Amino acid sequence: MTIQAAFERAGADHAAGQLPHAPLAMPKQVLEGPSFLRLMRRRFLRLISADRTARVGMGR
Amino acid sequence: MSARARRGEHAPAPMGARLARICALALAGLAGLGATALFLQFGAVDGLQGIDLLRAALILISTLWLAWGAASGLTGLFPRRIEPAPKTAIRARTVVLVPVYNEDPVITFARVAAMLGSVDRKAEGALIDFAILSDTRDDKIAARERIWFDRLVRDTGGEGRLFYRRRVNNAGKKAGNIEEFIRTSGAAWDLAVILDADSLMEGPTITEMIRRMEASPNLGLLQTLPKVVRAQSRFGRAMQFSASFYSPVFARGLAHMQGRTGPFWGHNAIVRIRAFAECCGLPQLSGKPPFGGHILSHDYVEAALLARGGWEVRLDEDMEGSFEEGPENIIDHAKRDRRWCQGNLQHARLLGTPRLRPWSRFVFVQGIMAYVAPLFWGGFLMASIADAMVQHQPDYFPEPYQLFPVFPSDQTTKAIGLAIGIFGLLVLPKLLIVLQAALTGRASRFGGAASALRSTLAELALSSLIAPLMLMYQSRSVIQVLLGRDGGWPPNNRGDGRLTLGEAAAASRFIVATGVLGLFATWHLAPALVPWMLPVGLPMVIAPVIISWTSQPLASGRLFRTPAEMRVPDVLSAHDSIVALWTEPPMSGPIAPSGDLYA
């Protein structure tokens, strides 16, 4: 939406210097995950998992 | 291919960035391990005890951190190729956002007028608007903001391009202020230049930022390196010189390593509004401040979230014409640092945020280390005193019936070598920057090679003198945060920042007390360590004198010269003229403001 369009939509109610009404969604992000130690532990376990070891040389 | 993958979300960091990271980490690791090995040689000469291991661990962590900083500086000595943006017609519509919070509207709005004039003169047809986003809580200041906004519009003829709005409440502080703008008006513009109330940018710089954003559709945020200007005091001038002379090199080092995961410092940067809206809606963290609540240092988090969303975040340190003001004294610096400390320690909660890039997590760790490292140094000093207290007398006759005494080997040389090595980590990058500036001709912008060297040596002396004070303020901030004390969001002090001895003493009593107690305890319990403790203890004892003295104006114009002082940038001159025009007493005759001031 252009500023001009936003002003036109606002019509005569729009005061000078007032920001145009042109909303944009800003979804809240997910920030809090597992603790860093838990994350490291999970990574470490994945690294040494037998499953992964078993795949070595299997052509995957 | 998904939109994120198309934007390169899963692409690894470029080879050059990975190589720079490996080199810097290896250098830091080698320096840290070398220092620890050297320490163990002399620290454990009378047998390896628990306290020696503790001291070794503390010196390892502290040296690693110092060496990492030095490695960033050394990496920055290598040139970096930045593709200039093509000079095509600008299509994007851009808004410059100026968040204000209880600021003096005359000074702040004059900055807007100066930038608008600079933009109009040199922006080559770019559509650039300005929005003042007020979070001011003081109704009297807010009333003045309205009056001065009308004056700003009238004097610049900026109707339709200048906007002002005041929020009903200031939830989320600055991040919430920007977020509210995007939620209500963000769709009207493509790009937003985010400033601080004390920021100033030249029109051509803003235009170049827009061009670079248009040339790289994957670029979500482009950060410039703002230079500190208008400093008057000894402390402020030293910081200003530092920001102008060393920071571009350290920033280039950072830029070498950042890959597509660069930093955001909260201002003097341009963002792609849709990318920002898509990725950077910050939630409140669970729990109470200081670790819960709204995110204080939101900029680092926003950079990490943009990178998580597949957008490139880049620092282009080559762009000139980007300015900010800095604190004029140590107390104002410490107050700002208290807020940053809380913000950075709060990032410990975000280390496990899902799908962040590894470098973003590393940046959080770096920020935390920047504030925690002084505690390690303090711990090392205390452990050294404790070690000297419990040291037993040397045994000159370890074997029975021994004819000749065995003297313990003198390890002083190694201890001095270690101290020099650690000091070298601080000094070497700066001296190399002087050398490079002399060889490349950059020093001429700082008054010549001799002037740059003189200023560097003075800055090194001053920063060594105030380092123990900074260590104390940072340690206190960390301890306060860990004890759960919220520092809030005090407005910044602007102005000349002069402090009397009494004011300085009131703000540094705990430092003086710690210095006196520390030196007394060392003299009483471990007299041999007194010469080693003096460089730390003595500045603490005379902290009020240092704080007050460094807050006074620097008389010499030859020391700490910067390019912005030798040739005042147009936008700064325009700002001075507009402030003078707006604050001069009414004249009896007709007022004929020069149109050149604004356009």
Side-chain angles (χ1 to χ4, degrees), chain B residues 445-499:
Chain B
R445 300 177 61 208
F446 294 84
S451 173
L453 179 62
R454 198 168 48 236
S455 298
T456 300
L457 294 177
E459 190 276 333
L460 280 169
L462 190 66
S463 56
S464 304
L465 193 66
I466 65 176
L469 279 58
M470 297 298 192
L471 181 141
M472 288 301 294
Y473 279 119
Q474 285 196 337
S475 301
R476 186 177 70 167
S477 297
V478 172
I479 291 166
Q480 282 177 342
V481 174
L482 292 179
L483 291 176
R485 279 183 60 184
D486 178 21
W489 190 275
N492 291 322
N493 280 348
R494 318 262 188 225
D496 78 350
R498 279 185 226 203
L499 295 171

Side-chain angles (χ1 to χ4, degrees), chain A residues 1-3 6-7 14 16-36 39 43, chain B residues 129 162-165 179 182-189 274 277-283 286 295 308 349 351-353:
Chain A
M1 185 189 298
T2 63
I3 294 181
F7 283 151
H14 197 93
Q18 193 178 325
L19 283 167
H21 183 70
L24 194 58
M26 197 164 179
K28 294 287 182 194
Q29 299 296 310
V30 176
L31 295 185
E32 292 180 86
S35 75
F36 190 60
L39 194 78
R43 287 269 163 91
Chain B
D129 305 315
L162 291 172
F163 303 95
Y164 171 88
R165 77 102 173 83
E179 186 173 322
I182 291 176
R183 285 186 193 283
T184 55
S185 308
W189 289 276
R274 284 187 186 280
E278 179 187 301
C279 302
C280 298
L282 296 182
S286 57
I295 295 171
R308 180 175 82 169
R349 293 274 309 273
L351 289 173
T353 297

Side-chain angles (χ1 to χ4, degrees), chain B residues 6 40 93 104 123 169 260 313 328 375 420 442 488 490 511:
Chain B
R6 198 165 53 240
L40 284 174
R93 180 136 200 172
D104 179 348
N169 66 62
R260 280 182 278 269
V313 179
E328 282 284 70
L375 286 184
I420 291 173
R442 189 169 83 97
I511 298 179

Side-chain angles (χ1 to χ4, degrees), chain B residues 239-261:
Chain B
M239 295 274 286
Q240 177 175 280
F241 172 77
S242 197
S244 203
F245 193 59
Y246 313 135
S247 291
V249 180
F250 280 90
R252 196 182 308 127
L254 188 63
H256 276 305
M257 290 186 273
Q258 70 190 2
R260 280 182 278 269
T261 321

